[in-house]
Amino acid sequence: QGQPVEIGGGLVHSGDSLRLSCTVPGSLINVERKAWYRQAPERQRELIAYLHKDGSTYYADSIKGRFTISRDNAKGVVYLQMDSLKTEDSAVYYCNAAYCSDRGCFAPPLDSWGQGTQVTVSS
């Protein structure tokens, strides 16, 4: 079924914007929540945003008000618009599903992840 393919990262300055794109493999087309994660050096991968099939969204406090998740179902693409970038946003960004219950959200298995796209924000 393949892995997600993320593109759009780069080196930018604080305050700049980037738009990440993720081409979703067939295995993720019908998941309830399509999500963006990021992993900074020496830190755990963290869920930062998801878009539910019903259109509702979740954003981590660290990005709320600055990042926007969206999708184009016809193209099978999920986007992450990142505005007002900060140096602490520097990380590798990944897309994947998010599986959530009353106990929280859980990331998919290791073999389902793509290569990610590097975002580096300089001051």
Side-chain angles (χ1 to χ4, degrees), residues 80-96:
L80 186 68
Q81 177 66 40
M82 307 189 296
D83 298 319
S84 302
L85 282 162
K86 304 176 181 180
T87 56
E88 53 262 45
D89 294 319
S90 297
V92 179
Y93 285 71
Y94 303 87
C95 73
N96 212 318

Side-chain angles (χ1 to χ4, degrees), residues 10-69:
L11 172 62
V12 296
H13 294 291
S14 293
D16 286 350
S17 297
L18 280 175
R19 188 176 81 154
L20 307 183
S21 300
C22 170
T23 301
V24 177
S27 59
L28 297 185
I29 291 292
N30 293 314
V31 295
E32 276 198 332
R33 298 174 182 82
K34 295 181 176 69
W36 282 96
Y37 299 77
R38 69 184 181 187
Q39 186 168 17
E42 301 182 0
R43 299 190 67 175
Q44 288 191 332
R45 191 171 300 178
E46 61 171 333
L47 171 66
I48 58 171
Y50 68 66
L51 177 57
H52 195 281
K53 289 177 70 173
D54 65 10
S56 61
T57 55
Y58 158 83
Y59 295 99
D61 288 343
S62 58
I63 67 163
K64 198 172 294 183
R66 300 187 297 121
F67 292 10
T68 305
I69 188 171

Side-chain angles (χ1 to χ4, degrees), residues 95-123:
C95 73
N96 212 318
Y99 300 106
C100 303
S101 70
D102 291 344
R103 291 178 292 174
C105 293
F106 304 92
L110 289 176
D111 62 359
S112 68
W113 294 86
Q115 296 298 310
T117 185
Q118 175 73 50
V119 172
T120 303
V121 185
S122 64
S123 58

